[in-house]
Amino acid sequence: MLASDIGEIMTYMLRFRQARLGPGQRKLFPNEEHVAQLIDRLDYSDWIELGQIFHPFGYMLDVQEGTAGRPEVGKRTFLLLRDPMLPHPTFGGMSPALEKLKENKSEQPRITRTWWIYIWAHHMALMYEGRAVSEVSLFVKQDFKKETLITAVSKGVEQIERMEIPSEKSKLFSEILTKGDTTTKIPKRVSGFLDGMVESGLLEEFKVGTYRMTLLAAKEAENCIHHGFSDFYDLEVKKLNEDLPSLLIKGEEPEVQEEKEN
């Protein structure tokens, strides 16, 4: 494996984290087909070596083989998945999505992360209605409209406003989500969330205003849904399962233990 090939593969995969070989339903990212060909030509030892290179970044390589019933995979699709046993990746991941969601550059990370996790939970509820997270191959059969997500988030925030939430929990969700004019804030937040998710390769806007998951997002949800919240909130998550989106929407919270600030 040439050093130039390694550099090209790393540059692309740390940015988009998916490379499809052959035709499929999703629009290709710039240089995707070429990178997929480079990876496909690797022998077993090169594949192992490449995986070891990505490991310190917090990722692991995965390949999904295409079949007649899965045209979205193409001939095969190479994925760079978050390793649930490692800390949040330094590069790639949710960084672009978080930046898009901010109201301004100086916004406190806790505010951005709270909005992200709340909108994410509603979008997951729409994506997984009637199916389990483990049913990866069904991701192309469910989609949602931007306005549907805005409505769902708005109703959820309205419900939180009417709830009596203990003061020790209100700082995490209630005060952040209900502060200010939510009628104008929520559509902007949702738009930023969707733009960031598309840019991160986790959602696809396959029709104007209509979105669905990518194979990357579906596999990552299956592999490490339990991991993505602990590093977002700097919390030790004791219990997280597939019911998390509905728990958040109802205003309930998983058992957590917040780290003490220095």
Short mmCIF file of all heavy atoms in Angstrom, two decimals, residues 50-86:
data_model
loop_
_atom_site.label_atom_id
_atom_site.label_comp_id
_atom_site.label_asym_id
_atom_site.label_seq_id
_atom_site.Cartn_x
_atom_site.Cartn_y
_atom_site.Cartn_z
N LEU A 50 -4.49 -0.69 7.71
CA LEU A 50 -5.30 0.52 7.61
C LEU A 50 -6.21 0.67 8.83
O LEU A 50 -6.38 1.77 9.37
CB LEU A 50 -6.14 0.49 6.33
CG LEU A 50 -6.94 1.75 6.00
CD1 LEU A 50 -6.00 2.94 5.78
CD2 LEU A 50 -7.81 1.53 4.76
N GLY A 51 -6.79 -0.43 9.27
CA GLY A 51 -7.62 -0.39 10.46
C GLY A 51 -6.83 0.05 11.69
O GLY A 51 -7.35 0.81 12.53
N GLN A 52 -5.60 -0.39 11.79
CA GLN A 52 -4.75 0.01 12.91
C GLN A 52 -4.40 1.49 12.85
O GLN A 52 -4.25 2.14 13.90
CB GLN A 52 -3.47 -0.84 12.91
CG GLN A 52 -3.72 -2.31 13.23
CD GLN A 52 -2.47 -3.16 13.04
OE1 GLN A 52 -1.52 -2.77 12.36
NE2 GLN A 52 -2.47 -4.34 13.65
N ILE A 53 -4.30 2.03 11.65
CA ILE A 53 -4.01 3.46 11.49
C ILE A 53 -5.18 4.30 11.99
O ILE A 53 -5.01 5.33 12.65
CB ILE A 53 -3.70 3.79 10.01
CG1 ILE A 53 -2.37 3.16 9.60
CG2 ILE A 53 -3.67 5.30 9.78
CD1 ILE A 53 -2.06 3.29 8.12
N PHE A 54 -6.41 3.85 11.70
CA PHE A 54 -7.60 4.61 12.10
C PHE A 54 -7.94 4.44 13.59
O PHE A 54 -8.62 5.29 14.17
CB PHE A 54 -8.81 4.18 11.27
CG PHE A 54 -8.84 4.77 9.89
CD1 PHE A 54 -8.85 3.95 8.76
CD2 PHE A 54 -8.85 6.14 9.70
CE1 PHE A 54 -8.89 4.50 7.49
CE2 PHE A 54 -8.88 6.70 8.43
CZ PHE A 54 -8.89 5.87 7.31
N HIS A 55 -7.47 3.37 14.19
CA HIS A 55 -7.83 3.06 15.56
C HIS A 55 -7.50 4.18 16.55
O HIS A 55 -8.35 4.53 17.39
CB HIS A 55 -7.17 1.75 16.00
CG HIS A 55 -7.63 1.26 17.33
ND1 HIS A 55 -6.91 1.49 18.50
CD2 HIS A 55 -8.74 0.57 17.71
CE1 HIS A 55 -7.56 0.96 19.52
NE2 HIS A 55 -8.66 0.40 19.08
N PRO A 56 -6.31 4.79 16.50
CA PRO A 56 -6.02 5.87 17.45
C PRO A 56 -6.95 7.08 17.32
O PRO A 56 -7.07 7.88 18.25
CB PRO A 56 -4.57 6.25 17.11
CG PRO A 56 -4.00 5.04 16.46
CD PRO A 56 -5.14 4.46 15.69
N PHE A 57 -7.60 7.21 16.17
CA PHE A 57 -8.54 8.31 15.97
C PHE A 57 -9.90 8.01 16.58
O PHE A 57 -10.78 8.88 16.61
CB PHE A 57 -8.70 8.61 14.47
CG PHE A 57 -7.49 9.19 13.81
CD1 PHE A 57 -6.58 8.36 13.16
CD2 PHE A 57 -7.24 10.55 13.85
CE1 PHE A 57 -5.45 8.89 12.56
CE2 PHE A 57 -6.11 11.09 13.24
CZ PHE A 57 -5.21 10.25 12.60
N GLY A 58 -10.11 6.77 17.03
CA GLY A 58 -11.38 6.40 17.63
C GLY A 58 -12.33 5.70 16.68
O GLY A 58 -13.52 5.60 16.96
N TYR A 59 -11.80 5.18 15.56
CA TYR A 59 -12.65 4.55 14.55
C TYR A 59 -12.22 3.12 14.27
O TYR A 59 -11.08 2.72 14.53
CB TYR A 59 -12.59 5.33 13.24
CG TYR A 59 -13.20 6.71 13.30
CD1 TYR A 59 -12.40 7.85 13.24
CD2 TYR A 59 -14.58 6.88 13.40
CE1 TYR A 59 -12.96 9.12 13.29
CE2 TYR A 59 -15.14 8.13 13.44
CZ TYR A 59 -14.32 9.25 13.38
OH TYR A 59 -14.89 10.51 13.43
N MET A 60 -13.14 2.36 13.69
CA MET A 60 -12.83 1.02 13.21
C MET A 60 -13.42 0.85 11.81
O MET A 60 -14.48 1.37 11.50
CB MET A 60 -13.38 -0.04 14.16
CG MET A 60 -14.87 0.06 14.44
SD MET A 60 -15.37 -1.13 15.70
CE MET A 60 -17.15 -0.81 15.77
N LEU A 61 -12.69 0.13 10.96
CA LEU A 61 -13.14 -0.10 9.59
C LEU A 61 -14.19 -1.20 9.54
O LEU A 61 -14.15 -2.16 10.30
CB LEU A 61 -11.95 -0.51 8.72
CG LEU A 61 -11.05 0.60 8.18
CD1 LEU A 61 -9.82 0.00 7.50
CD2 LEU A 61 -11.80 1.49 7.20
N ASP A 62 -15.14 -1.05 8.63
CA ASP A 62 -16.18 -2.04 8.45
C ASP A 62 -16.52 -2.08 6.96
O ASP A 62 -16.35 -1.09 6.24
CB ASP A 62 -17.44 -1.66 9.26
CG ASP A 62 -18.53 -2.71 9.16
OD1 ASP A 62 -18.36 -3.79 9.74
OD2 ASP A 62 -19.54 -2.46 8.48
N VAL A 63 -16.98 -3.22 6.50
CA VAL A 63 -17.40 -3.33 5.10
C VAL A 63 -18.76 -4.01 5.06
O VAL A 63 -19.02 -4.98 5.76
CB VAL A 63 -16.36 -4.12 4.26
CG1 VAL A 63 -16.14 -5.52 4.83
CG2 VAL A 63 -16.79 -4.16 2.80
N GLN A 64 -19.65 -3.46 4.24
CA GLN A 64 -20.98 -4.02 4.01
C GLN A 64 -21.06 -4.49 2.57
O GLN A 64 -20.83 -3.71 1.64
CB GLN A 64 -22.05 -2.96 4.28
CG GLN A 64 -22.12 -2.50 5.72
CD GLN A 64 -22.64 -3.56 6.66
OE1 GLN A 64 -23.75 -4.06 6.50
NE2 GLN A 64 -21.83 -3.94 7.64
N GLU A 65 -21.36 -5.76 2.40
CA GLU A 65 -21.43 -6.33 1.06
C GLU A 65 -22.81 -6.10 0.45
O GLU A 65 -23.83 -6.30 1.12
CB GLU A 65 -21.12 -7.83 1.09
CG GLU A 65 -19.71 -8.17 1.52
CD GLU A 65 -18.67 -7.78 0.47
OE1 GLU A 65 -19.06 -7.54 -0.69
OE2 GLU A 65 -17.47 -7.71 0.81
N GLY A 66 -22.84 -5.70 -0.79
CA GLY A 66 -24.10 -5.48 -1.47
C GLY A 66 -24.72 -6.77 -1.96
O GLY A 66 -24.03 -7.74 -2.24
N THR A 67 -26.04 -6.78 -2.02
CA THR A 67 -26.78 -7.92 -2.55
C THR A 67 -27.85 -7.38 -3.49
O THR A 67 -28.07 -6.17 -3.58
CB THR A 67 -27.44 -8.73 -1.42
OG1 THR A 67 -28.40 -7.90 -0.75
CG2 THR A 67 -26.40 -9.22 -0.42
N ALA A 68 -28.54 -8.29 -4.15
CA ALA A 68 -29.59 -7.88 -5.08
C ALA A 68 -30.69 -7.09 -4.39
O ALA A 68 -31.31 -6.21 -4.98
CB ALA A 68 -30.18 -9.11 -5.76
N GLY A 69 -30.92 -7.37 -3.13
CA GLY A 69 -31.98 -6.69 -2.40
C GLY A 69 -31.53 -5.44 -1.67
O GLY A 69 -32.33 -4.80 -0.97
N ARG A 70 -30.25 -5.07 -1.82
CA ARG A 70 -29.73 -3.89 -1.11
C ARG A 70 -28.96 -2.99 -2.08
O ARG A 70 -27.73 -2.85 -1.99
CB ARG A 70 -28.84 -4.31 0.05
CG ARG A 70 -29.53 -5.11 1.12
CD ARG A 70 -28.63 -5.32 2.32
NE ARG A 70 -28.39 -4.05 3.02
CZ ARG A 70 -27.53 -3.93 4.03
NH1 ARG A 70 -26.82 -4.96 4.43
NH2 ARG A 70 -27.36 -2.76 4.62
N PRO A 71 -29.66 -2.36 -3.01
CA PRO A 71 -28.98 -1.51 -4.00
C PRO A 71 -28.29 -0.30 -3.39
O PRO A 71 -27.37 0.26 -3.99
CB PRO A 71 -30.12 -1.07 -4.93
CG PRO A 71 -31.35 -1.17 -4.07
CD PRO A 71 -31.12 -2.36 -3.19
N GLU A 72 -28.70 0.10 -2.18
CA GLU A 72 -28.10 1.27 -1.55
C GLU A 72 -26.65 1.02 -1.14
O GLU A 72 -25.88 1.96 -0.90
CB GLU A 72 -28.91 1.69 -0.31
CG GLU A 72 -28.80 0.77 0.89
CD GLU A 72 -29.67 -0.47 0.81
OE1 GLU A 72 -30.42 -0.60 -0.18
OE2 GLU A 72 -29.60 -1.29 1.74
N VAL A 73 -26.25 -0.26 -1.07
CA VAL A 73 -24.89 -0.61 -0.65
C VAL A 73 -23.93 -0.63 -1.83
O VAL A 73 -22.72 -0.55 -1.65
CB VAL A 73 -24.87 -1.97 0.08
CG1 VAL A 73 -23.48 -2.33 0.58
CG2 VAL A 73 -25.86 -1.96 1.24
N GLY A 74 -24.47 -0.70 -3.05
CA GLY A 74 -23.62 -0.85 -4.22
C GLY A 74 -23.01 -2.24 -4.25
O GLY A 74 -23.58 -3.20 -3.72
N LYS A 75 -21.84 -2.38 -4.86
CA LYS A 75 -21.14 -3.66 -4.83
C LYS A 75 -20.72 -3.95 -3.40
O LYS A 75 -20.89 -5.06 -2.90
CB LYS A 75 -19.92 -3.62 -5.75
CG LYS A 75 -19.16 -4.94 -5.83
CD LYS A 75 -17.99 -4.83 -6.79
CE LYS A 75 -17.23 -6.15 -6.85
NZ LYS A 75 -16.05 -6.05 -7.78
N ARG A 76 -20.16 -2.96 -2.75
CA ARG A 76 -19.86 -3.00 -1.31
C ARG A 76 -19.60 -1.58 -0.84
O ARG A 76 -19.25 -0.70 -1.64
CB ARG A 76 -18.67 -3.91 -0.99
CG ARG A 76 -17.34 -3.52 -1.56
CD ARG A 76 -16.27 -4.54 -1.17
NE ARG A 76 -16.63 -5.89 -1.61
CZ ARG A 76 -16.29 -6.40 -2.81
NH1 ARG A 76 -15.60 -5.66 -3.67
NH2 ARG A 76 -16.64 -7.61 -3.14
N THR A 77 -19.78 -1.35 0.44
CA THR A 77 -19.55 -0.03 1.01
C THR A 77 -18.62 -0.16 2.20
O THR A 77 -18.83 -0.99 3.09
CB THR A 77 -20.86 0.63 1.46
OG1 THR A 77 -21.70 0.85 0.32
CG2 THR A 77 -20.59 1.98 2.13
N PHE A 78 -17.59 0.67 2.20
CA PHE A 78 -16.62 0.69 3.30
C PHE A 78 -17.02 1.81 4.27
O PHE A 78 -17.30 2.93 3.85
CB PHE A 78 -15.21 0.92 2.77
CG PHE A 78 -14.79 -0.09 1.75
CD1 PHE A 78 -14.83 0.20 0.39
CD2 PHE A 78 -14.36 -1.35 2.14
CE1 PHE A 78 -14.45 -0.74 -0.56
CE2 PHE A 78 -13.98 -2.31 1.19
CZ PHE A 78 -14.03 -2.00 -0.15
N LEU A 79 -17.04 1.49 5.55
CA LEU A 79 -17.47 2.44 6.58
C LEU A 79 -16.37 2.63 7.62
O LEU A 79 -15.61 1.71 7.92
CB LEU A 79 -18.73 1.93 7.27
CG LEU A 79 -19.95 1.65 6.39
CD1 LEU A 79 -21.04 0.99 7.22
CD2 LEU A 79 -20.46 2.92 5.74
N LEU A 80 -16.32 3.83 8.16
CA LEU A 80 -15.44 4.14 9.28
C LEU A 80 -16.35 4.44 10.47
O LEU A 80 -16.89 5.52 10.60
CB LEU A 80 -14.56 5.35 8.94
CG LEU A 80 -13.31 5.56 9.80
CD1 LEU A 80 -12.38 4.35 9.70
CD2 LEU A 80 -12.58 6.81 9.37
N LEU A 81 -16.52 3.43 11.32
CA LEU A 81 -17.46 3.52 12.43
C LEU A 81 -16.76 3.92 13.72
O LEU A 81 -15.62 3.55 13.96
CB LEU A 81 -18.16 2.17 12.64
CG LEU A 81 -18.93 1.60 11.46
CD1 LEU A 81 -19.44 0.20 11.81
CD2 LEU A 81 -20.09 2.50 11.07
N ARG A 82 -17.47 4.66 14.54
CA ARG A 82 -16.95 4.96 15.87
C ARG A 82 -16.78 3.67 16.65
O ARG A 82 -17.67 2.82 16.65
CB ARG A 82 -17.90 5.89 16.61
CG ARG A 82 -17.92 7.30 16.12
CD ARG A 82 -18.84 8.14 16.99
NE ARG A 82 -18.42 8.11 18.38
CZ ARG A 82 -19.10 8.70 19.37
NH1 ARG A 82 -20.22 9.32 19.11
NH2 ARG A 82 -18.66 8.65 20.61
N ASP A 83 -15.65 3.55 17.30
CA ASP A 83 -15.42 2.40 18.17
C ASP A 83 -16.04 2.69 19.53
O ASP A 83 -15.60 3.62 20.22
CB ASP A 83 -13.92 2.16 18.32
CG ASP A 83 -13.60 0.84 19.03
OD1 ASP A 83 -14.42 0.42 19.86
OD2 ASP A 83 -12.55 0.25 18.74
N PRO A 84 -17.08 1.95 19.93
CA PRO A 84 -17.77 2.25 21.19
C PRO A 84 -16.90 2.06 22.43
O PRO A 84 -17.26 2.51 23.51
CB PRO A 84 -18.95 1.29 21.19
CG PRO A 84 -18.53 0.17 20.29
CD PRO A 84 -17.67 0.79 19.24
N MET A 85 -15.76 1.40 22.27
CA MET A 85 -14.87 1.17 23.40
C MET A 85 -13.83 2.28 23.56
O MET A 85 -13.03 2.26 24.49
CB MET A 85 -14.15 -0.18 23.24
CG MET A 85 -15.09 -1.36 23.09
SD MET A 85 -16.29 -1.47 24.46
CE MET A 85 -15.16 -1.82 25.80
N LEU A 86 -13.84 3.24 22.65
CA LEU A 86 -12.84 4.32 22.68
C LEU A 86 -13.52 5.66 22.91
O LEU A 86 -14.72 5.81 22.68
CB LEU A 86 -12.07 4.35 21.36
CG LEU A 86 -11.20 3.12 21.05
CD1 LEU A 86 -10.58 3.25 19.67
CD2 LEU A 86 -10.11 2.94 22.11
#
